[in-house]
Amino acid sequence: MKTAIEERMLHFKQPAGTSRGVYTTRKIWLVHLSDGQYEGVGECAPLPQLSCDDIPNYEQVLRGFCDEVERTDEIPYEDLRDYPSMLFGLETALLSLKASHGSSLSSHLLFNTPFSRGEVGIPINGLVWMGRYDEMLGRLEEKLEKGFHCVKLKIGAIDFDQELDLVKRIRERFSFHEVELRLDANGAFPYEEALYKLELLSQYQIHSIEQPIRQGQWAYMAELCRESPLPIALDEELIGVNDPEMKHHMLNIIKPRYIILKPSLHGGMMGCREWIATAREMGIGSWITSALESNIGLNAIAQFCSDVYGDHISMPQGLGTGQLFTDNIPMPLEIRGDRLWISSNS
């Protein structure tokens, strides 16, 4: 097999605010995998200052793994454990290449599932990015008008009282039967204030809150999971925990209600399958989200989600970010109401 690496810079339609700053551009690398007749493509998209493989010589290291694929015709899965975004890109490229080989599937249809065939949609949450109070309120109104029944608010960037007021406004208009509300703090709460803030938020029937305190504080996070009136989901906490035994060890200590999986951050498809299997054994729920990838990555993540969770997904997934960029890569993905679909004409 032959490989080629293509660097791209994507531009956000609107600045994307997180507790770690504001994104206006997004650098990705596309990996092209060819057997001389057919070609597959995958996306490698580390997040700055977050991914465990956000390294200065990223493309050089990626080139080394691509060279190994050329020599062996195989992906070096174990060597790639600590480089999840590279592993995900290569996994996707290989699936894309296989799909191109004389089957009824085209190269963007990576799994043979009802979702991949355009027969069903995957329920997704509407995402409201951090911003000024009036900005967040406007974005929230837009999501509700579009028919989303699950809304995720990123909090931690503005005054907590204003964020609390935003949550209150939602519940004044919509009961929890009408709108499921999820929060993502991105580790923004100081540990000393976290439980108090969780107690205030719990008045409003919140489905869950992601990563209330910063990652790496297992004892504090375990205590919060025991004491919190809100279900806690781990996200950033999973980054860099790539050994299967360590995954079990961490979940056994912290005992969260949910884990949230991003293949680019949490071990590619291989690593996410391990996380899901381990969590299921311990009675811990999970869902899958994208991590600001282009439509190449989003397509792969959505189809992986349909493969790993089966034909009838009821829990909303975090797969609605494909409309973020002015210069996204065309794929037959579309959002209808609160579901992501692959166009049946693809």
Side-chain angles (χ1 to χ4, degrees):
M1 286 189 285
K2 296 295 183 183
T3 61
I5 299 171
E6 175 189 356
E7 181 181 319
R8 288 220 186 176
M9 185 69 75
L10 304 176
H11 299 82
F12 284 89
K13 293 178 181 178
Q14 296 177 338
T18 75
S19 61
R20 286 174 298 276
V22 178
Y23 293 115
T24 57
T25 59
R26 178 82 163 98
K27 184 188 287 188
I28 65 170
W29 287 265
L30 298 180
V31 174
H32 299 269
L33 190 60
S34 173
D35 61 5
Q37 184 177 5
Y38 298 97
E39 181 177 299
V41 62
E43 177 178 354
C44 303
L47 281 170
Q49 301 179 343
L50 185 61
S51 296
C52 63
D53 55 357
D54 174 35
I55 51 179
N57 59 337
Y58 186 92
E59 187 168 339
Q60 179 184 349
V61 173
L62 178 59
R63 180 69 263 169
F65 285 123
C66 287
D67 290 345
E68 188 169 348
V69 171
E70 290 189 5
R71 288 194 303 270
T72 65
D73 283 346
E74 295 180 354
I75 294 175
Y77 288 97
E78 290 302 318
D79 293 340
L80 278 159
R81 277 194 179 274
D82 292 331
Y83 303 91
S85 65
M86 298 184 198
L87 174 55
F88 175 63
L90 285 167
E91 286 175 315
T92 302
L94 183 59
L95 287 169
S96 176
L97 176 61
K98 289 179 177 178
S100 300
H101 268 258
S103 71
S104 60
L105 300 180
S106 60
S107 62
H108 64 267
L109 298 180
L110 310 180
F111 293 93
N112 191 6
T113 68
F115 169 76
S116 299
R117 297 192 298 268
E119 298 167 5
V120 299
I122 296 176
I124 61 175
N125 61 251
L127 179 61
V128 176
W129 286 94
M130 290 179 178
R132 297 192 309 271
Y133 177 83
D134 56 336
E135 290 175 333
M136 293 182 70
L137 185 59
R139 292 167 188 165
L140 171 64
E141 296 282 354
E142 179 185 349
K143 296 299 180 186
L144 296 177
E145 287 173 6
K146 287 184 176 180
F148 282 93
H149 295 95
C150 176
V151 177
K152 173 178 167 179
L153 295 178
K154 282 187 171 287
I155 62 174
I158 61 175
D159 179 72
F160 177 74
D161 288 337
Q162 287 187 304
E163 291 172 335
L164 194 64
D165 183 63
L166 194 61
V167 172
K168 180 181 178 182
R169 281 187 179 223
I170 297 171
R171 279 293 171 251
E172 286 174 346
R173 286 185 52 193
F174 300 95
S175 72
F176 74 98
H177 295 294
E178 296 171 295
V179 174
E180 180 178 288
L181 191 55
R182 299 175 178 175
L183 303 178
D184 183 2
N186 285 126
F189 296 167
Y191 167 72
E192 296 78 12
E193 302 173 9
L195 188 58
Y196 173 67
K197 290 182 175 180
L198 294 177
E199 287 171 347
L200 291 177
L201 290 166
S202 69
Q203 306 172 72
Y204 303 109
Q205 296 168 306
I206 308 298
H207 172 271
S208 57
I209 183 166
E210 296 177 37
Q211 205 69 40
I213 62 175
R214 62 180 174 80
Q215 67 197 83
Q217 305 178 88
W218 290 11
Y220 286 158
M221 187 67 84
E223 182 178 342
L224 281 181
C225 288
R226 287 195 305 270
E227 302 295 333
S228 172
L230 288 181
I232 290 176
L234 302 186
D235 180 357
E236 289 92 338
E237 201 71 64
L238 312 180
I239 296 172
V241 182
N242 300 315
D243 177 76
E245 291 186 9
M246 188 58 69
K247 292 175 183 180
H248 185 277
H249 181 59
M250 189 195 75
L251 293 182
N252 190 50
I253 289 174
I254 298 178
K255 294 182 173 62
R257 183 76 64 85
Y258 302 103
I259 59 173
I260 301 169
L261 297 163
K262 300 177 172 71
S264 291
L265 291 175
H266 301 136
M269 299 182 199
M270 176 188 75
C272 286
R273 288 186 192 275
E274 291 175 350
W275 277 116
I276 291 168
T278 301
R280 280 175 175 165
E281 290 174 4
M282 306 173 73
I284 296 169
S286 66
W287 67 88
I288 290 173
T289 81
S290 51
L292 306 181
E293 293 89 357
S294 77
N295 279 333
I296 297 286
L298 177 60
N299 174 64
I301 294 166
Q303 292 191 54
F304 169 68
C305 177
S306 72
D307 183 65
V308 78
Y309 289 135
D311 296 350
H312 304 288
I313 300 173
S314 58
M315 177 176 283
Q317 309 291 305
L319 304 174
T321 58
Q323 300 173 318
L324 287 175
F325 305 110
T326 61
D327 44 6
N328 211 331
I329 299 165
M331 293 292 284
L333 297 167
E334 57 182 342
I335 297 175
R336 304 178 204 161
D338 64 350
R339 289 177 177 261
L340 180 69
W341 290 78
I342 287 180
S343 172
S344 57
N345 297 321
S346 60

